[in-house]
Amino acid sequence: MEKVVIAEEPASRIPNWLRIVIWGLVIALGIGLIAVLGRTLVPFVVGAGLAFTFDPLAGWLGRKGVRRGWAAFLVTLLTFGILAGILALLLPVLLEQASDLADRLPDLLARARAMLTGAAAQVPGAEVLNDTDLLRRIARRTGEWVQQSAGDLLGFAATLFDIALLLVLTPVVTFYLLRDWNPVVRQIRRLVPRQSRAVVFELVGEMTDRLAGFLRGMALSAAIQAVIHSVGLYLVGLNFAILIGVLTGLLVFVPVVGNLVMLIAAVTVALVQFDGWLEPLLVVLIYAGSNVLETSVLEPVLVGNRTNLHPVWVIFALLVGGSLFGLIGALLALPAATVIAVLIRYAVDRYTHSRPYDEF
């Protein structure tokens, strides 16, 4: 008797519009969770970032025969030990200089106003500088803005609970993520639909390469820039040299704008502090030399061209993330910018190889 073979019906494919709807809901859910949880996520985001950054070091120790748990413990201990040592050395100096700046700020502003009045005496419209009521209103508005900005900046550290979350949970999260990094990655890979794995793995690999290269390179560049500016400004004799130098290094993550803001701040302090033009000129030369060093040596060597994160795109991402979600938004801005940049490149590449592109 001849066996009857029943052909299986082909599995129905999910419509493209439904895929778009599902991914849109997933993204909306993630944004909603970030907005609701807010700063509670900070230790987990920072811990995940550190685990992502130092996973290659833990893997290298594992290949040398160190068990993964001990490798994660050693990397976590080394990372936070170095950070604690740097804070122990710099924090007292930074707090002292910040307190000194706050005490001397009224006098510095008065001297700056006197200098501006004298320098702009021959400029049309300079009589505005002598309008006491106008200057008082500007000062009051500026003071309100500074107070509001300081309140927003320090809002995260307003309670001991938040500080405890950051200081205690971050090392714990970093350790456990480092220890279980490979199993976590394997579980996530298993969740990717089979038909999309090749594309997804390729895109995720590109995202991680770009982000890892950017974060590691910029962290080293920031440290070098902080040392260069702190030492250089200190040798010039500038007040608050270490404070300005460290802030300059930290603001390296905001391309161009951060360096320009700190240059203006350093030159302003130099003009108010010194009578001649030599010291302000030396400050400008320090920042000009560091900029040349960054663009010609640090950025190509430490960051490299493979990151492909345009400075304008980085600035835009930081501003949007910070304005929408505060501190947690600023922390997630660079990863989000990297993901979006890779997806846009992929979409453009698909479009340029599609029939509509050829037909239109």
Side-chain angles (χ1 to χ4, degrees):
M1 183 176 179
E2 192 173 326
K3 186 176 181 181
V4 178
V5 179
I6 301 176
E8 295 183 1
E9 295 184 0
S12 59
R13 295 178 60 87
I14 299 177
N16 289 331
W17 66 267
L18 183 57
R19 293 183 182 182
I20 296 174
V21 170
I22 293 174
W23 280 112
L25 291 175
V26 171
I27 294 173
L29 178 61
I31 295 175
L33 287 175
I34 293 173
V36 171
L37 297 177
R39 61 194 186 198
T40 306
L41 293 174
V42 171
F44 301 94
V45 173
V46 175
L50 291 173
F52 170 76
T53 303
F54 294 106
D55 173 66
L57 178 57
W60 178 80
L61 290 174
R63 290 191 294 272
K64 296 297 181 180
V66 181
R67 294 181 58 182
R68 182 70 187 195
W70 281 106
F73 176 76
L74 291 175
V75 172
T76 304
L77 183 65
L78 178 64
T79 301
F80 286 93
I82 292 175
L83 292 176
I86 294 174
L87 285 178
L89 291 175
L90 290 181
L91 195 58
V93 179
L94 296 179
L95 291 177
E96 180 183 356
Q97 293 199 355
S99 176
D100 188 23
L101 175 61
D103 293 338
R104 298 173 59 181
L105 188 59
D107 180 58
L108 292 175
L109 292 177
R111 294 185 60 184
R113 180 197 167 193
M115 290 179 59
L116 288 174
T117 304
Q122 305 301 323
V123 178
E127 61 274 4
V128 173
L129 293 173
N130 295 318
D131 189 342
T132 306
D133 293 334
L134 177 61
L135 292 175
R136 187 178 294 111
R137 288 196 299 271
I138 294 174
R140 185 173 64 252
R141 291 290 181 87
T142 303
E144 292 174 356
W145 177 82
V146 171
Q147 184 177 4
Q148 181 180 359
S149 300
D152 294 339
L153 181 63
L154 298 176
F156 172 71
T159 63
L160 292 176
F161 177 72
D162 291 331
I163 297 175
L165 278 178
L166 186 62
L167 296 181
V168 176
L169 283 184
T170 302
V172 175
V173 172
T174 303
F175 165 73
Y176 280 109
L177 286 179
L178 269 177
R179 190 193 67 176
D180 301 325
W181 188 262
N182 292 331
V184 169
V185 171
R186 283 196 297 269
Q187 290 298 325
I188 294 176
R189 289 169 66 95
R190 288 184 58 190
L191 296 177
V192 178
R194 289 188 177 90
Q195 293 184 350
S196 305
R197 284 185 179 179
V199 175
V200 171
F201 291 165
E202 179 184 354
L203 293 179
V204 171
E206 183 178 350
M207 293 173 189
T208 54
D209 286 343
R210 287 191 183 192
L211 186 59
F214 184 84
L215 291 178
R216 292 167 188 154
M218 291 303 291
L220 288 174
S221 179
I224 294 173
Q225 292 277 21
V227 172
I228 290 175
H229 288 90
S230 298
V231 173
L233 297 177
Y234 179 81
L235 293 177
V236 171
L238 188 71
N239 291 332
F240 325 115
I242 297 178
L243 178 63
I244 294 175
V246 171
L247 290 177
T248 302
L250 292 176
L251 289 178
V252 164
F253 284 92
V254 186
V256 182
V257 175
N259 209 14
L260 182 60
V261 169
M262 295 313 301
L263 169 62
I264 294 173
V267 171
T268 302
V269 173
L271 289 172
V272 174
Q273 178 183 348
F274 301 104
D275 294 329
W277 291 95
L278 176 61
E279 288 82 3
L281 179 60
L282 291 176
V283 171
V284 172
L285 291 176
I286 289 173
Y287 275 85
S290 68
N291 185 65
V292 172
L293 177 66
E294 179 183 6
T295 56
S296 61
V297 178
L298 297 181
E299 186 173 334
V301 174
L302 299 179
V303 181
N305 296 323
R306 61 192 179 93
T307 59
N308 289 328
L309 288 177
H310 196 277
V312 175
W313 181 239
V314 173
I315 295 171
F316 177 77
L318 290 172
L319 291 178
V320 171
S323 62
L324 290 179
F325 303 108
L327 179 59
I328 187 65
L331 290 174
L332 292 173
L334 287 178
T338 304
V339 171
I340 295 172
V342 172
L343 292 178
I344 290 176
R345 182 206 59 78
Y346 175 73
V348 171
D349 184 66
R350 288 290 299 270
Y351 168 70
T352 55
H353 290 83
S354 65
R355 287 183 60 187
Y357 177 79
D358 294 330
E359 294 176 356
F360 284 105

